[in-house]
Amino acid sequence: MPPNPPIVAGTRIGHVHLKVADLERALGFYCGVLGFELMQRYGSTAAFISAGGYHHHIGLNTWESKGGHPPAPGTTGLFHTAILYPTRAALADALHRVISAGIPLDGASDHGVSEALYLRDPDENGVELYRDRLPAEWPRNADGSLAMFTRRLDVEDLLRARAA
């Protein structure tokens, strides 16, 4: 049987829906710290938040998880939600917000194609905050193939990119 053709170009992941233990606590992180906007709320059980007025980029709900605990290590589930920032200055602002809120980073990496910050939300869900470099800046091998890597990101240099 021949393999299926690749998925159509332009296909994107539109939003993520996270199970949280405490809706107010989750909104405090995603809206209060990261700056997402509350678009709609369903009482004390669910909320939909976005950047720039979209109907929602992130759904938060307690439908199956109110008062719950994060999955134990060694179980399957979401590794992280990746939030793409449009510019280096915007990513620097996100870093400033996280630091100002006293939230520790799990890591900060330069992948050649992107710069990424890794942290945890209040429910211990992994969160990646990142910005892509332009394709013309991506590292390439001699044959033209992509040569991604993982190196330590200079967070002080990133913070200097923050717009005043």
Side-chain angles (χ1 to χ4, degrees):
M1 177 179 218
N4 286 330
I7 194 168
V8 65
T11 300
R12 299 179 308 146
I13 295 175
H15 66 268
V16 64
H17 215 120
L18 300 174
K19 296 191 293 186
V20 299
D22 181 314
L23 186 60
E24 293 305 319
R25 184 180 68 183
L27 286 169
F29 174 77
Y30 286 99
C31 294
V33 175
L34 295 184
F36 282 89
E37 299 171 89
L38 178 63
M39 300 305 294
Q40 188 167 3
R41 188 175 180 139
Y42 290 103
S44 63
T45 63
F48 298 91
I49 62 176
S50 85
Y54 185 64
H55 58 79
H56 74 285
H57 289 104
I58 301 175
L60 304 165
N61 77 67
T62 60
W63 299 327
E64 298 177 359
S65 55
K66 186 171 182 142
H69 302 283
T75 59
T76 61
L78 180 69
F79 183 69
H80 67 235
T81 299
I83 300 169
L84 175 61
Y85 288 81
T87 64
R88 191 164 200 258
L91 180 61
D93 181 66
L95 174 59
H96 175 77
R97 289 169 177 260
V98 166
I99 290 170
S100 296
I103 298 169
L105 293 178
D106 288 345
S109 298
D110 180 344
H111 296 297
V113 297
S114 64
E115 293 178 302
L117 307 169
Y118 300 95
L119 57 143
R120 303 230 160 248
D121 77 3
D123 290 287
E124 295 297 316
N125 293 308
V127 177
E128 176 185 1
L129 309 177
Y130 76 106
R131 71 106 185 174
D132 280 335
R133 289 190 170 95
L134 296 172
E137 301 173 52
W138 293 355
R140 303 266 178 197
N141 293 312
D143 66 0
S145 62
L146 199 55
M148 289 176 57
F149 53 78
T150 299
R151 296 183 184 142
R152 183 179 91 45
L153 179 64
D154 183 342
V155 294
E156 294 302 321
D157 182 62
L158 176 59
L159 278 172
R160 285 191 290 276
R162 183 170 171 249

